[in-house]
Amino acid sequence: NVWRFPYLCYRNGGGAFFIPYCIALAFLGIPIFLLELAIGQYSSSGPFTCWKYSPIFTGIGYGMFIVSALVAIYYNMIIAWAFFYLFASFTDELPWQSCGDWSTNLCYDNVKILNKTWESCNGNNRWGKVWEANVTQGICYETGMLNKKEGVRAYLDADKAKDYFPRTLPSQEYFDNYVTGSGYSSGYDDLGGVRWQLALCYLLAFICVILALSKSIKTSGKVVYFTATFPYIVLVILFIRGLMLEGMEEGIRFYITPDLNRLSDAQVWKDAAVQIFFSLSASWGGLIALASYNKFHNDLLRDTLIVTFGNCLTSVFAGFVIFSYLGYLSTYMGLPVDEVAKSGPSLTFVVYPFAVTKMPISPLWAILFFVMLITLGVDSEFVLVETVITSLMDRFPKLRKYKLFTVMTCCLLFFLLGLTLTTDGGIYMLSIMDTYSGGWSILFIAIFECISVGWVYGIFRFLDDIKLMTGNTFCWCFPFIAFKYWWMLCWCFITPLLAAIIMVFSWVDYTGMDNGAEYDVYADLMGWGMTLVTIVCIVGTAIYVICKTGGIKEAMKPNIEWGPALVRHRREAEYHTKRYASDFVVDPWGLETASPNDVHLQVENKSGLQNTGYVPHAEDSSKF
C-alpha cells in the first residue's frame, strides 16, 4: 500500500488509476477474498490440500505456492533496502540530504546556475575544465562532450536546460549509485558483483521472518498488533508535514484528477487488477493458509469487509501522503509532477527520504519512516512465507515436528536464489519479477478458483457452507440472504469474466519490457517463464488427476474427506451437505473419541494432536 500503490498511480496517470482500481476492488478483490477465506476456514487446510471438493483443481494450490515463493524472494529485497536506509539514518546529517561523492554532475547541488548578466561559458576554466556554451540547450558543457549528459557543467538558462538535461534529486542518485548500484549497470544482463552491504541487509530481512514464524501462527499474529498499527502514526505525521509544503496542492491535484484518456490503456487496467490482488494477497494462497487457522464459526464476511475496505483506504491515504511531497518537489525542481522522479519500485525510496530532509531533526523522522516501512514489509513477507510453509506442512505432515527447520531451510533457499537482486543490476531483475511473477498468473488462478466453486462444486452448496460458519447474519446484524445472490453473481459470472477480459485486453495491448536499453526480448522470455510455470502447474496437475481417477467426472467429484476438519463440525454440515451429496461421510477416518460433541480425527491409531495427519484448528494452533 505504501510502496507499490503510489508508484502505480504515478505511472498510470494519477487519478485515472482510481477508476479501474475501485472496479477491481468491487468485482475482483472482495469476491476472491471472501471465496478464499471460506475455503480455508471451512476445510482448515492450506493451499496444497484444500481442493478436495474438486481434486481436478489441485494444481491451483501448486500455482499459488510458486507465486508466493517467487514474490517472497524479491519482496524481501524491498525490506532489505529499508534496512539499509535505516542504518544509514543513524547520523547527524542524512547522507542523501545533499550530493555526495556518489553523485553525478547532474545531481541537484552539483549543477551551477550561472548569472547570464555577468557569467559566461566560453573559455571559462575556473573549475578546472574548458567550457563552451550551447545556447539552444541553455547549458555550459565541457569541450568535446556536446549532447552528453556527462559533459554538462552548468545551466546558462535553467528553463531551457531542464528540458534537455534535468537535474536529479540527491535521494535519487543515492538510491541509484550508492544503495542499489543500478547507476553503474546498463540493464538486467549487466549484473556486476554482489554488494555485500545489501546482501547482509537481505539476510537480516530473512532472519526477521524466521524469528516471527519460528514458533506458531500466534507468534506472527502478536507481532502484527504492532506492525499493522504503527505505520498509521508515521503516515499521519508525514501527511501533516506534507500539507505545509509549498506546491503540495499540485501533487494532490495530479493524484485526484483523472486523465480519462488513460482508461483506454490496457496496462492501467491490468495494473489496477494486479494491485488489488497484490495488496489483498488474493489468489496467492496466503488467505487460504491463514484462514485455515480460524475458528470454524468465525464471521468471515465481517473480516472480508473490514480488511478489504481498510486495506484500500490505506492505499488511498498513502497516495495522498506521497503526492503531497511530489507536488512540493515539482515546485522545488521546476518540473511537471509526472517528471519529478522515476516511476518504478524506487519511487518510495526517493520521495519519502527526500521529504524527511525538509523536517526538523530529520534523522529521527527518517528512522521512524524506515522502521514503519520495515514493519509493513515484514507483515506482507510473513504471509508469503507462511503460505509456503503451511503448504509444505499440509503436504508433508511430518514436517510439523520440525517447523523451525522448515522455515530456516525455505528462507535460506530464498536468500540464495535472491542474491542476484543484491547486485548492481539487481533492481532490473526485481522489476522483471514484479511485472511477471504476480501479474497474469494470479488473474489466471482467480478465474479457475471461480470456476471450481461456481460451476463444479456448486454455488448453492458453497453458499450453504458459508452460512453454516457465519449463521443467518454477519457483521452482527446484516442478514446473510441480503448479499447471497450478489456473491453468486460475482463468483459465477462477473469476477471470472472481468478477470478474463482484463487479461485478454492486456495481451492484445502487450508491448513487453523490451525497450532496447535496460531490457531486451530475453527479459520478457524470462518473465513469461515465471508466468507459464504457474499455468503449467494448474493444467498439468489437472491432467494427472484425471488420469489417476479414471475420468473428468471422478476428478471433479469431492472426495470422501472433503469437509470440516473436526468431526463435530462435520456433524453440523451433514444436514445441508446430504442435500447435494448423499455419500457424505461424517467420520471418513472411522474412529472417534468417546464424546460425539468433541471429537478429533484419528489416523494411524492416534488421536488429536498426536496424529501426524491431523489438520490443526484454531483452538489447537498454538501447539504447532
Side-chain angles (χ1 to χ4, degrees):
N1 293 342
V2 176
W3 160 67
R4 201 170 189 271
F5 179 81
Y7 98 70
L8 288 177
C9 269
Y10 191 60
R11 184 172 78 186
N12 291 303
F17 191 68
F18 278 117
I19 297 174
Y21 183 76
C22 291
I23 292 174
L25 170 64
F27 298 110
L28 293 175
I30 297 176
I32 293 295
F33 193 96
L34 176 60
L35 182 147
E36 294 192 354
L37 285 192
I39 292 174
Q41 184 171 308
Y42 187 75
S43 65
S44 295
S45 299
F48 270 8
T49 55
C50 69
W51 310 100
K52 295 175 182 178
Y53 66 85
S54 186
I56 195 173
F57 294 102
T58 302
I60 296 176
Y62 294 110
M64 290 175 167
F65 176 87
I66 291 171
V67 170
S68 293
L70 287 173
V71 177
I73 292 171
Y74 84 79
Y75 194 84
N76 231 22
M77 193 69 246
I78 309 297
I79 305 172
W81 293 344
F83 271 121
F84 190 104
Y85 274 88
L86 177 63
F87 297 141
S89 299
F90 287 94
T91 181
D92 294 334
E93 181 177 327
L94 295 175
W96 57 87
Q97 190 161 336
S98 58
C99 300
D101 55 6
W102 34 261
S103 63
T104 69
N105 57 302
L106 286 178
C107 187
Y108 201 87
D109 302 336
N110 292 342
V111 180
K112 180 175 177 58
I113 308 296
L114 301 183
N115 187 324
K116 290 183 290 185
T117 60
W118 60 274
E119 289 183 297
S120 63
C121 293
N122 294 332
N124 191 334
N125 61 359
R126 287 183 297 158
W127 292 278
K129 298 288 182 180
V130 177
W131 293 3
E132 296 182 26
N134 184 324
V135 178
T136 302
Q137 296 179 344
I139 62 168
C140 298
Y141 66 94
E142 186 178 328
T143 299
M145 301 188 71
L146 179 63
N147 294 326
K148 296 181 180 179
K149 65 179 183 180
E150 295 83 2
V152 177
R153 290 293 174 261
Y155 279 2
L156 186 63
D157 187 332
D159 292 333
K160 291 182 179 180
K162 68 184 182 183
D163 294 331
Y164 294 94
F165 299 101
R167 292 182 288 179
T168 53
L169 291 170
S171 57
Q172 179 74 68
E173 296 210 351
Y174 182 80
F175 179 84
D176 291 342
N177 301 331
Y178 190 75
V179 179
T180 65
S182 59
Y184 307 117
S185 171
S186 60
Y188 82 99
D189 56 350
D190 180 23
L191 293 178
V194 171
R195 302 178 73 82
W196 67 267
Q197 301 98 324
L198 208 53
L200 290 177
C201 290
Y202 191 46
L203 178 63
L204 177 60
F206 277 114
I207 291 174
C208 289
V209 174
I210 293 172
L211 293 175
L213 297 180
S214 59
K215 295 289 184 179
S216 71
I217 192 68
K218 286 190 174 182
T219 306
S220 56
K222 291 173 182 176
V223 172
V224 168
Y225 281 119
F226 170 75
T227 59
T229 55
F230 173 71
Y232 288 98
I233 300 172
V234 180
L235 282 175
V236 168
I237 294 171
L238 287 172
F239 184 52
I240 293 172
R241 175 56 181 165
L243 293 178
M244 298 178 182
L245 296 174
E246 180 185 2
M248 64 86 186
E249 63 277 0
E250 292 300 320
I252 292 178
R253 185 178 295 113
F254 179 87
Y255 181 52
I256 64 176
T257 304
D259 177 6
L260 298 180
N261 292 327
R262 294 300 304 275
L263 296 180
S264 61
D265 185 352
Q267 184 67 34
V268 176
W269 289 87
K270 185 228 174 187
D271 282 349
V274 170
Q275 177 59 18
I276 285 292
F277 283 101
F278 197 103
S279 62
L280 292 176
S281 292
S283 295
W284 295 39
L287 296 177
I288 296 175
L290 297 182
S292 69
Y293 295 97
N294 280 351
K295 293 181 179 179
F296 186 75
H297 291 294
N298 176 62
D299 190 347
L300 64 152
L301 278 163
R302 175 202 61 201
D303 293 351
T304 296
L305 296 177
I306 291 174
V307 174
T308 53
F309 283 106
N311 169 79
C312 294
L313 287 174
T314 300
S315 294
V316 172
F317 179 62
F320 275 103
V321 177
I322 198 167
F323 276 90
S324 65
Y325 287 99
L326 284 170
Y328 165 71
L329 292 176
S330 173
T331 302
Y332 179 77
M333 300 179 69
L335 294 172
V337 174
D338 58 352
E339 296 179 14
V340 166
K342 292 181 181 179
S343 172
S346 66
L347 181 65
T348 297
F349 292 90
V350 172
V351 177
Y352 281 124
F354 185 79
V356 297
T357 64
K358 301 304 174 183
M359 302 176 74
I361 323 177
S362 55
L364 172 63
W365 294 112
I367 291 170
L368 288 176
F369 171 74
F370 289 113
V371 168
M372 176 202 75
L373 210 58
I374 290 167
T375 59
L376 285 170
V378 169
D379 269 1
S380 299
E381 189 71 11
F382 285 168
V383 177
L384 294 168
V385 178
E386 181 64 41
T387 301
V388 174
I389 299 301
T390 300
S391 299
L392 289 174
M393 292 193 302
D394 281 353
R395 183 65 181 83
F396 307 102
K398 291 184 179 180
L399 289 178
R400 293 195 183 110
K401 296 179 181 179
Y402 313 101
K403 181 169 183 180
L404 177 58
F405 176 78
T406 305
V407 173
M408 291 177 65
T409 302
C410 286
C411 287
L412 177 61
L413 180 61
F414 291 164
F415 171 75
L416 294 176
L417 291 173
L419 276 178
T420 54
L421 303 177
T422 66
T423 62
D424 291 347
I427 192 170
Y428 302 112
M429 293 293 294
L430 187 147
S431 294
I432 295 172
M433 295 182 74
D434 184 44
T435 300
Y436 286 98
S437 61
W440 285 296
S441 302
I442 54 178
L443 292 174
F444 198 79
I445 289 172
I447 292 170
F448 275 91
E449 282 183 298
C450 291
I451 293 173
S452 71
V453 166
W455 295 99
V456 178
Y457 178 61
I459 188 63
F460 290 106
R461 181 176 177 179
F462 188 65
L463 288 167
D464 281 344
D465 292 343
I466 296 175
K467 185 178 179 181
L468 176 67
M469 293 186 286
T470 62
N472 293 320
T473 61
F474 66 94
C475 291
W476 304 285
C477 62
F478 295 102
F480 178 79
I481 196 172
F483 292 92
K484 177 179 179 179
Y485 296 102
W486 166 251
W487 302 123
M488 181 180 69
L489 190 63
C490 284
W491 290 327
C492 290
F493 301 103
I494 299 176
T495 301
L497 283 175
L498 181 59
I501 290 170
I502 290 174
M503 191 160 58
V504 173
F505 186 27
S506 63
W507 283 343
V508 171
D509 203 31
Y510 175 73
T511 57
M513 300 188 72
D514 183 7
N515 58 13
E518 294 91 355
Y519 307 100
D520 57 22
V521 66
Y522 295 106
D524 289 313
L525 290 175
M526 187 189 306
W528 275 110
M530 298 178 196
T531 299
L532 290 175
V533 70
T534 303
I535 298 173
V536 168
C537 277
I538 297 173
V539 177
T541 304
I543 295 173
Y544 170 77
V545 172
I546 291 171
C547 295
K548 184 178 180 181
T549 57
I552 295 178
K553 186 175 180 180
E554 288 298 317
M556 294 192 295
K557 182 181 178 181
N559 70 24
I560 194 172
E561 295 182 3
W562 166 248
L566 299 182
V567 176
R568 68 175 182 268
H569 295 142
R570 295 178 72 90
R571 289 188 183 280
E572 297 177 30
E574 181 180 11
Y575 173 74
H576 85 262
T577 301
K578 285 199 170 181
R579 289 188 295 164
Y580 305 101
S582 59
D583 57 349
F584 178 76
V585 180
V586 173
D587 182 13
W589 299 272
L591 295 170
E592 294 184 7
T593 55
S595 171
N597 295 319
D598 187 17
V599 294
H600 287 88
L601 309 184
Q602 296 185 354
V603 179
E604 301 175 346
N605 294 322
K606 296 180 181 180
S607 63
L609 299 178
Q610 295 177 335
N611 168 23
T612 58
Y614 175 71
V615 180
H617 191 262
E619 291 93 341
D620 304 314
S621 61
S622 61
K623 307 291 181 65
F624 289 84

